Amino acid sequence: MSMKRNTTATPGANDSTDALDDLADAFVRLTDVDDMRAFLTDLCTPAELEAMTDRWRVVPALVGGVSYRQIHENTGVSVTTVGRVARHLEHGAGGYAAALAGRRTGNAG
C-alpha cells in the first residue's frame, strides 16, 4: 500500500483543514435529500455509510435519555459505538447538536 503524497507545489494547498472545509462546503450546497444521498453514496464505501448511519441513529435516543444497553438492543449498534457517540455529544465539536437543531420533522428515517 502506498502512502498518499502531496504533489502540489503550493505550500498549504493540500492542508487537511482546507480540504475538510471544501468537503463541508460541498455538504452545505446540497439541500435536497436525494442529491445528498447520491453524494454520500458516491463519496463513501458501504461500510463507511453503515458506520455513519449507525452513529446518527443513536443520537436521538441518547438525547432522549435511553440507556446504552437499550439503544444497542433496539438498533443493533454496538455499545462501544453508542458510548463513542455519547462522548462526542457531550464533549465534541457540537456537530450532532447542530444537526439535531436543523433536523426535519416527519422524516421516515
Side-chain angles (χ1 to χ4, degrees):
M1 185 161 115
S2 63
M3 296 296 292
K4 188 171 152 182
R5 292 187 211 172
N6 183 350
T7 58
T8 60
T10 308
N14 223 12
D15 179 70
S16 62
T17 301
D18 290 342
L20 182 56
D21 286 349
D22 288 345
L23 178 60
D25 187 58
F27 278 101
V28 170
R29 286 192 307 264
L30 296 169
T31 58
D32 179 80
V33 173
D34 292 331
D35 289 344
M36 179 63 75
R37 184 181 297 111
F39 181 62
L40 287 168
T41 300
D42 288 345
L43 181 67
C44 302
T45 66
E48 290 166 336
L49 286 173
E50 181 179 14
M52 289 189 295
T53 301
D54 284 350
R55 291 176 194 140
W56 183 241
R57 286 174 65 198
V58 304
V59 170
L62 284 167
V63 170
V66 180
S67 73
Y68 292 16
R69 180 66 52 201
Q70 190 63 50
I71 293 170
H72 165 69
E73 289 174 10
N74 292 348
T75 65
V77 175
S78 75
V79 173
T80 301
T81 295
V82 174
R84 182 178 305 120
V85 172
R87 281 191 304 279
H88 284 276
L89 270 168
E90 186 70 25
H91 304 291
Y96 284 133
L100 279 173
R103 190 174 193 188
R104 298 178 322 146
T105 57
N107 190 353

